[in-house]
Amino acid sequence: MKLYSEQRESIPSSLKEGDPGFYYIQKLMSTAYDCTRKRGGSEDASLTYKEMLSANPNFKTDSVMVRSLHIPVSPWPEKMSDHDFRICELMRRNLIKLAEAYKPMLLSEGIAQEVVDKWVRKSEQELNTLRARLYTRWTYAWVLRKDTPWQATVTP
């Protein structure tokens, strides 16, 4: 998962501890992102939503819509509604669980146990103290189906 700065800009994965703008949660997530890509996964699939859906013969090509939404990693922004606070609080809890869930993958990539444990511990601290003023970006798509019978695009 990619995280974005308080200004909703990409954060260089090259930042090191002590650099301005460095966060452990960003280090952990960007390293997990790199591990996923190295294994053949693509967390960038959302970049192809429009192309993929437009190529499907069952959908109206001109109806494909793709949007992105930035959600804070914790309830750090001031003056938010109760609804937004709940969403940010859920994101905080989910990222803490995701950080733990990434441990086996990070360890299997040769990152030392003590380093991974530190990243997870410090990430949780950043999220719980609202120090990490970052955003996640969620991309979603929708499309209208054609009125014709469904056409299989892959042979079962």
Side-chain angles (χ1 to χ4, degrees):
M1 172 182 291
K2 287 186 178 180
L3 298 179
Y4 296 83
S5 73
E6 192 170 354
Q7 294 74 35
R8 300 177 188 188
E9 297 169 348
S10 290
I11 301 171
S13 59
S14 59
L15 289 179
K16 306 262 186 281
E17 187 175 357
D19 290 345
F22 175 84
Y23 294 98
Y24 285 96
I25 187 65
Q26 166 61 15
K27 180 67 176 175
L28 190 149
M29 292 297 166
S30 67
T31 304
Y33 172 86
D34 291 341
C35 292
T36 301
R37 289 188 62 139
K38 191 180 348 176
R39 293 172 174 218
S42 176
E43 290 193 8
D44 296 324
S46 63
L47 299 175
T48 63
Y49 284 172
K50 188 165 187 81
E51 181 181 306
M52 274 189 322
L53 293 170
S54 294
N56 189 313
N58 298 293
F59 301 133
K60 295 179 182 179
T61 305
D62 60 345
S63 73
V64 177
M65 301 298 288
V66 179
R67 298 285 186 272
S68 291
L69 178 66
H70 287 87
I71 299 176
V73 298
S74 62
W76 59 263
E78 296 178 19
K79 300 180 183 175
M80 67 172 70
S81 69
D82 288 344
H83 176 262
D84 289 349
F85 181 88
R86 285 192 303 274
I87 290 171
C88 295
E89 180 58 22
L90 285 172
M91 183 60 63
R92 182 189 68 77
R93 290 181 199 167
N94 287 338
L95 284 175
I96 289 169
K97 289 179 183 177
L98 185 58
E100 278 289 333
Y102 276 148
K103 275 179 149 181
M105 180 173 63
L106 297 171
L107 293 170
S108 74
E109 291 294 322
I111 301 170
Q113 177 83 48
E114 56 275 3
V115 171
V116 173
D117 289 342
K118 177 182 178 180
W119 289 356
V120 170
R121 186 179 68 256
K122 295 282 193 173
S123 293
E124 186 172 353
Q125 287 173 357
E126 289 172 345
L127 293 167
N128 285 335
T129 62
L130 310 185
R131 180 185 167 301
R133 294 180 170 259
L134 303 170
Y135 286 93
T136 60
R137 185 178 74 189
W138 296 88
T139 302
Y140 55 97
W142 66 98
V143 64
L144 296 176
R145 185 177 160 192
K146 290 181 179 176
D147 294 330
T148 56
W150 189 262
Q151 180 182 5
T153 57
V154 179
T155 306

